[in-house]
Amino acid sequence: MIVAMQEGAVEDQIQAVVERLTEMGFDVHKTTGARQTVLAAVGSRNDFDVRELEVMPGVEQVHRISAPYKLAGKSFRPEGTVVRFANGLAIGGEEIVVMAGPCSVESRDQLFRVTEQVAKAGAKVLRGGAFKPRTSPYSFQGLGEEGLKLLREAGNKFGMLVISEVMEISQIALMLPYIDIFQVGARNMQNFNLLRELGKVRKPVLLKRGIAATIEELLLSAEYIMSGGNYDVILCERGIRTFETYTRNTLDISAIPIVHKLSHLPMTADPSHGTGRRDKVAPMARAAIAAGADAVLVEVHHDPDHALSDGPQSLYPEQFEKLMHELRMIAPAVGRKMA
Ligand code: PEP
Ligand code: MN
């Protein structure tokens, strides 16, 4: 951490800051310039709050140099994390994985129809919500355990892994036998109790970025899961809330290379929630792959006009097939191939 003192800071103020930093466990290196004194604090602590120093008399600016997360940071595993599954599929390696399926599991007929279509087009992971975080309590809330059973059955039938959203701690044990990846939704990115519990399970977790979360906050949430011993965390950019109204959210494509620089964890993009409009999904999925995403998560429905949730952003099966074809052309251009 670097503490720049104000031009007029007096010796007592400088000394007070040095003492505070020493108390916090830092070694302090002082540089006295012609106008200003700069203190460089070196140490392994990363649980400090820079504001504690910013509010001290005589302090002009404080800059944190090291990241506040350890396990999620690049230096923990510079070679990168590859999340591997028993069927040989891997997320974070050379191959790009497509996860697709309906927003919600609505019925056996719906799920099996969509699964057959996305599997045929080349998706490797079946998505579908059994527990739905809906903005309105009057909207469809999901089929619960019945939905999980259908997901497992459809996944097995069409040779796909299964991902579904977990909304609360009590659902973890219930979901374990049915799913291959736990999805933590945007609304729960900072549900720290849930994250801690997911740190205890030995199944991968796909952690979505919150609608108003910074990339640093996303990485700190990953740190919660990893600090419990579960290192199989996959991050996901799903759009953030901005002032733009043409889209439901603004898909922050730049988060993909940023996360790849800061972290060793695989990075995914969800262009469906990221845009909220069907016609914007394919262009943003293509952009995400071009930007280096390790996987994409796409909503597809056989009859989106009658979907119980997120119909307007769900692709028709033919659109998904076309997108897969396009992704197969883009992947080699960025040194990857499709799983
Ligand atoms: C979903 O994947 O259907 C979902 C609810 O996502 P998010 O948490 O990104 O809104
Ligand atoms: Mn959805």
Side-chain angles (χ1 to χ4, degrees):
M1 171 174 32
I2 302 289
V3 182
M5 301 299 296
Q6 289 166 356
E7 274 190 30
V10 297
E11 196 48 40
D12 280 358
Q13 293 173 329
I14 298 171
Q15 211 37 49
V17 175
V18 172
E19 277 165 28
R20 182 83 187 95
L21 288 167
T22 311
E23 247 172 58
M24 289 165 80
F26 290 104
D27 282 334
V28 185
H29 303 265
K30 178 170 152 185
T31 306
T32 312
R35 295 204 194 138
Q36 233 178 331
T37 294
V38 173
L39 303 170
V42 186
S44 55
R45 261 192 74 167
N46 57 10
D47 59 341
F48 57 86
D49 184 341
V50 292
R51 291 173 306 166
E52 285 175 30
L53 295 144
E54 278 168 354
V55 295
M56 289 184 75
V59 171
E60 180 160 314
Q61 280 180 41
V62 183
H63 294 286
R64 178 190 264 284
I65 308 275
S66 59
Y69 40 81
K70 284 186 290 202
L71 302 173
K74 188 85 171 175
S75 55
F76 180 70
R77 253 190 204 164
E79 72 282 11
T81 287
V82 181
V83 175
R84 295 179 193 283
F85 298 89
N87 69 351
L89 194 76
I91 299 180
E94 193 195 351
E95 294 186 339
I96 292 163
V97 173
V98 176
M99 311 188 216
C103 176
S104 310
V105 181
E106 299 169 7
S107 67
R108 165 181 287 270
D109 179 60
Q110 172 246 17
L111 186 67
F112 278 65
R113 278 194 202 209
V114 181
T115 309
E116 181 172 16
Q117 284 159 328
V118 295
K120 208 170 92 203
K124 301 293 179 211
V125 181
L126 173 63
R127 66 144 290 146
F131 301 106
K132 294 304 302 176
R134 304 306 301 281
T135 302
S136 161
Y138 307 114
S139 302
F140 177 61
Q141 304 285 309
L143 295 183
E145 189 171 6
E146 182 52 28
L148 296 171
K149 284 186 185 157
L150 292 172
L151 278 168
R152 184 73 273 160
E153 223 188 289
N156 289 351
K157 178 164 181 198
F158 296 100
M160 295 175 80
L161 296 178
V162 165
I163 180 170
S164 197
E165 177 166 353
V166 57
M167 285 172 57
E168 52 170 281
I169 293 173
S170 65
Q171 293 163 353
I172 297 176
L174 175 73
M175 292 178 73
L176 269 172
Y178 300 114
I179 54 111
D180 301 294
I181 308 173
F182 283 104
Q183 174 175 323
V184 174
R187 293 158 191 81
N188 273 312
M189 188 202 86
Q190 287 190 317
N191 181 341
F192 301 121
N193 294 329
L194 176 64
L195 301 180
R196 274 199 196 287
E197 285 303 307
L198 288 168
K200 297 181 192 158
V201 303
R202 291 297 169 267
K203 261 201 185 166
V205 177
L206 180 135
L207 176 65
K208 287 191 163 194
R209 181 179 182 183
I211 60 167
T214 64
I215 294 170
E216 184 166 293
E217 286 163 344
L218 172 66
L219 293 171
L220 281 165
S221 289
E223 189 84 8
Y224 265 92
I225 302 171
M226 298 179 78
S227 62
N230 186 356
Y231 291 173
D232 283 342
V233 178
I234 302 159
L235 302 172
C236 182
E237 164 62 39
R238 50 77 71 203
I240 48 175
R241 183 68 61 91
T242 68
F243 46 81
E244 184 51 72
T245 53
Y246 276 110
T247 45
R248 179 181 181 186
N249 293 293
T250 297
L251 188 72
D252 180 7
I253 296 274
S254 66
I256 299 166
I258 292 170
V259 164
H260 277 150
K261 178 155 189 206
L262 298 175
S263 176
H264 53 87
L265 297 171
M267 183 58 168
T268 302
D270 170 351
S272 305
H273 295 87
T275 61
R277 305 261 187 281
R278 185 179 301 131
D279 61 333
K280 312 289 182 296
V281 172
M284 294 313 268
R286 298 194 299 255
I289 296 306
D294 298 295
V296 284
L297 182 66
V298 182
E299 288 184 341
V300 183
H301 199 288
H302 71 287
D303 182 13
D305 302 326
H306 296 100
L308 296 184
S309 60
D310 285 346
Q313 68 191 32
S314 298
L315 296 185
Y316 289 95
E318 318 75 76
Q319 291 178 310
F320 179 67
E321 214 185 301
K322 181 165 179 276
L323 172 62
M324 289 298 291
H325 178 69
E326 292 165 348
L327 297 185
R328 278 189 205 102
M329 292 194 283
I330 294 170
V334 290
R336 311 286 288 266
K337 49 185 183 195
M338 301 295 289

